[in-house]
Amino acid sequence: MTIELTINGKSHKVEADAATPLLYVLRNDLALNGAKFGCGLGQCGACTVLVDGKATLSCITPISLAEGRQVTTVEGLGTAEAPGPVQAAFIELQAAQCGYCIPGMMMSAQGLLQSNPAPTETEIRNALQTNLCRCGTHMRILAAIRRASELMQASLGPVANKRAG
Amino acid sequence: MALRAICIVAVIGFAGFLAFAWRSEIPPEQPNARPAFDPALVAKGAQLAAVGNCIACHTVPGKAAFAGGLALPTPFGTIYSTNITPDAETGLGLWSEAAFQRAMRQGVDREGRHLYPAFPYDHYTRVTTEDSRALYAFIMSRDPVKATAPANELPFPFNVRLILAGWKLLFLREGELPRDASKSEAWNRGAYLTEGLGHCGACHTPRNSLGAMDAKRPFAGGEAEGWQAYAINAESPAPVPWSKDSLAQYLRHGWHPNHGVARGPMAEVTGNLGLLPDADIDAIATYVADIMGTPSPQRQQEAQKRIEDASRRQPHVASAALTQGAAGAGTARSGAAIYASACATCHDSGRPQPFGGLSFRLSSAVNAPNPQNIVNVTLFGLPPADGEAAPVMPSFAGVLSDRDMVALLNHLRAQFTDKPAWTGLEDLVRRTRTGEHKVAVRPADGIERAPANVGAEERR
């Protein structure tokens, strides 16, 4: 069947079974390779995207459920030249090691900061609870999210040079 | 004349009731006057407190253990659990053992006030004096925490504690249960733990309009914190009948291959039971299995077939579901398509329990007459336990609309059970999602094992 999806503000027509996971369509049909296939079971968070602003595990979300909704992937947060605040903060704090989990981490962070621009440490940890990192850069990831929160609040935009404290 | 007689009778009656309901204060005991407790007694008390699951009600998640203040919604209003740490000002610091024994047996606090039966003294009255002594030793050797619970929110007349004396007259049968000499030692021990400190019936027995357990329908299923507590008598909705062995494994480890993982309030129970010796777990299993009775050969046969079906799923079933999804192309958001993509990878792929999802052929939640639990778990998932491998399920509240939920749940019911379709699903989903029906969402297992999740933080 043909399904129309809105991804990063752009409309796409996709020919696929209604039960196809959104992740497969993003990567295989639309070449949006930011979201990663980790476990395929909705347990690791590497495939996280936003659906209507909420962090969603795209490996276990059928495309039929994404129809008529706004899907945002990590590609929608900014570009290499002009990274969005979350991306800029992750770069600034060097939060990635191997990087496989990072798009998912960034999308969970984006979802959190959109609804709660100044989260507490506990709120950050709760929101990132289902995102796993095997390298163990959690502390830098947490720092990056706190930094992204500052960037967003100050509306300083990307590559801000204001340092905390 | 008649009126006068009635008045006199009423006054005498009321005076009689007051005399009956009156409980005296037990004098305060200064904490520094209390001798140290025998460590062995404290250790025994810790095990018993685990059976009683005291920590679950007497702790606010994220706050100090046993310091109380947890809101307990009841049909009559909201009751807040009390601080049972030995703080002299706000806790049990001034309670002598006699005061503690009286509270357990009669549901009266040290000052002589009747306690609401949210504190399940209708069960705790069955606890022996020796066991209550050990519990007292355990509780009084915790660190005192200064914490005052919010005032109860109960409308008149429920805010008048004197009426509880009437409630007790009707529903409280004080004292221990007699032993049944015709039954085994394990059965009697199991009865003691189940009916007493374990207070299993507090959740698993339906309640009458006065909030007391329906004595005519023991263990016929009740409710707890927004979850259905399944019937654990002959009416159990489990597709595979429970046995003593499967109950013991479930209570010991929090999961069983034919029944899935403990969640909701039951996860706290199985998490706590981890402190118990195997013999006590076996005793509870022996007693509960006896309550459930021996299933008919026909039911056994059906169960066997379900177990075989459940193990014979694997890729072809998931792909069959996918095909069905495609076949129902007209209904893009069909339950089958949602199932194939969102559920089947875990629940229909042969991944073993407890980390793989249970086949819905074996699920009590999908076979139960009331769909509340499957609604809860689909909307809210099973959050991860902290610092502990635990079964995890993502929450689907964000991506499934109420209509999607109904489509999916109807699909599960039709595909995996021979039960009639549920009614009123959409309303139930809406009320659960909005919090109108309040649900306590907890990790799958382990209040003690994952303290940061549920706040059983205890300073030692």
Side-chain angles (χ1 to χ4, degrees):
Chain A
M1 66 185 291
T2 307
I3 289 186
E4 195 169 331
L5 298 173
T6 308
I7 301 176
N8 302 327
K10 227 174 109 190
S11 179
H12 300 267
K13 279 206 167 63
V14 180
E15 194 63 39
D17 190 290
T20 311
L22 176 60
L23 177 68
Y24 297 8
V25 171
L26 292 175
R27 294 180 59 87
N28 300 346
D29 298 59
L30 305 174
L32 291 166
N33 292 319
K36 298 289 185 280
F37 183 95
C39 63
L41 300 166
Q43 311 242 318
C44 78
C47 68
T48 307
V49 299
L50 300 186
V51 176
D52 284 346
K54 282 189 189 138
T56 300
L57 300 162
S58 64
C59 78
I60 51 165
T61 300
I63 47 167
S64 55
L65 293 179
E67 201 175 18
R69 290 167 147 167
Q70 297 290 332
V71 178
T72 310
T73 69
V74 73
E75 291 90 343
L77 298 189
T79 61
E81 296 72 38
V86 170
Q87 293 168 319
F90 271 66
I91 294 168
E92 185 187 325
L93 273 295
Q94 288 292 289
Q97 187 169 324
C98 90
Y100 201 79
C101 69
I102 295 296
M105 294 279 183
M106 288 202 274
M107 296 318 290
S108 289
Q110 182 77 24
L112 169 68
L113 295 175
Q114 278 179 15
S115 61
N116 178 4
T120 62
E121 181 73 14
T122 310
E123 286 167 336
I124 295 175
R125 284 173 185 248
N126 285 346
L128 275 282
Q129 199 168 221
T130 49
N131 289 80
L132 307 183
C133 165
R134 269 193 61 166
C135 301
T137 64
H138 298 92
M139 301 318 285
R140 288 181 176 215
I141 290 167
L142 291 171
I145 297 170
R146 289 192 294 269
R147 178 73 181 131
S149 162
E150 288 172 12
L151 292 177
M152 279 186 169
Q153 281 186 79
S155 300
L156 293 177
V159 243
N161 54 14
K162 175 182 167 265
R163 288 269 162 200
Chain B
M1 187 64 198
L3 186 68
R4 214 172 124 194
I6 290 170
C7 285
I8 290 169
V9 168
V11 166
I12 292 174
F14 186 67
F17 178 75
L18 274 184
F20 160 79
W22 177 256
R23 293 290 181 282
S24 60
E25 175 177 354
I26 293 181
E29 179 181 271
Q30 291 308 318
N32 53 13
R34 201 172 289 134
F37 294 102
D38 173 8
L41 192 66
V42 173
K44 183 183 172 193
Q47 270 189 3
L48 292 166
V51 179
N53 203 15
C54 315
I55 200 165
C57 283
H58 285 285
T59 307
V60 174
K63 300 282 172 58
F66 302 113
L70 185 74
L72 304 169
T74 77
F76 310 98
T78 301
I79 291 175
Y80 291 88
S81 65
T82 50
N83 178 356
I84 56 168
T85 71
D87 179 58
E89 203 183 309
T90 62
L92 304 191
L94 302 179
W95 286 43
S96 62
E97 188 196 316
F100 186 82
Q101 294 276 6
R102 182 174 73 169
M104 292 288 283
R105 195 155 281 233
Q106 301 182 5
V108 175
D109 76 2
R110 188 190 64 78
E111 287 99 327
R113 285 177 303 206
H114 289 284
L115 295 168
Y116 289 100
F119 172 56
Y121 48 77
D122 47 343
H123 294 273
Y124 293 170
T125 190
R126 311 272 181 254
V127 177
T128 62
T129 306
E130 298 82 71
D131 280 355
S132 282
R133 179 169 301 136
L135 271 170
Y136 176 74
F138 172 73
I139 290 293
M140 298 309 272
S141 54
R142 301 305 86 202
D143 271 340
V145 178
K146 203 170 283 301
T148 306
N152 294 334
E153 292 151 17
L154 294 167
F156 183 82
F158 305 118
N159 57 353
V160 180
R161 286 179 183 266
L162 214 57
I163 64 165
L164 293 165
W167 190 93
K168 289 176 184 179
L169 191 62
L170 290 171
F171 303 116
L172 177 63
R173 297 291 165 268
E174 257 181 62
E176 293 165 38
L177 287 176
R179 277 182 59 85
D180 185 339
S182 71
K183 297 289 197 337
S184 69
E185 191 57 41
W187 187 97
N188 275 292
R189 175 74 180 158
Y192 172 71
L193 292 171
T194 303
E195 302 286 355
L197 208 44
H199 67 288
C200 306
C203 294
H204 286 282
T205 296
R207 290 184 180 272
N208 63 22
S209 56
L210 292 174
M213 288 184 298
D214 184 345
K216 289 196 208 70
R217 303 178 59 210
F219 302 109
E223 208 198 275
E225 296 186 77
W227 297 79
Q228 288 287 304
Y230 299 127
I232 52 170
N233 59 11
E235 296 167 35
S236 156
V240 177
W242 288 93
S243 65
K244 186 220 139 200
D245 287 345
S246 60
L247 280 166
Q249 137 119 41
Y250 181 85
L251 295 172
R252 168 95 290 168
H253 300 288
W255 65 277
H256 187 276
N258 294 340
H259 300 278
V261 300
R263 44 165 160 62
M266 192 61 198
E268 296 170 57
V269 175
T270 57
N272 265 337
L273 291 182
L275 287 180
L276 249 65
D278 285 344
D280 278 349
I281 299 273
D282 275 356
I284 298 172
T286 301
Y287 179 69
V288 175
D290 189 47
I291 292 170
M292 288 181 163
T294 312
S296 67
Q298 191 204 347
R299 187 146 182 247
Q300 291 277 37
Q301 240 170 18
E302 278 169 23
Q304 202 48 46
K305 186 169 174 305
R306 276 175 181 273
I307 294 172
E308 280 160 23
D309 285 352
S311 65
R312 229 187 303 111
R313 44 199 155 155
Q314 285 64 269
H316 73 271
V317 181
S319 61
L322 275 166
T323 318
Q324 284 165 21
T331 55
R333 290 184 173 194
S334 74
I338 297 171
Y339 173 79
S341 180
C343 317
T345 40
C346 283
H347 286 277
D348 218 345
S349 61
R351 287 167 58 78
Q353 290 276 303
F355 300 114
L358 181 71
S359 165
F360 293 114
R361 292 164 189 83
L362 305 178
S363 158
S364 294
V366 176
N367 277 274
N370 182 323
Q372 186 68 59
N373 288 3
I374 193 72
V375 169
N376 292 355
V377 84
T378 310
L379 282 178
F380 306 124
L382 294 177
D386 197 23
E388 172 89 12
V392 172
M393 178 173 144
S395 138
F396 286 91
V399 78
L400 294 178
S401 68
D402 290 358
R403 219 186 68 197
D404 297 331
M405 284 285 293
V406 172
L408 173 63
L409 298 177
N410 278 334
H411 172 75
L412 296 181
R413 185 78 164 172
Q415 190 74 15
F416 299 109
T417 80
D418 49 12
K419 305 285 192 303
W422 287 306
T423 54
L425 268 179
E426 190 150 3
D427 190 50
L428 183 70
V429 169
R430 184 190 57 74
R431 283 190 296 115
T432 307
R433 187 197 295 275
T434 55
E436 196 180 310
H437 176 86
K438 202 170 164 344
V439 175
V441 181
R442 307 262 164 77
D445 196 344
I447 187 166
E448 292 286 27
R449 281 172 265 173
N453 269 299
V454 283
E457 261 175 61
E458 199 183 342
R459 289 174 292 123
R460 303 248 179 199

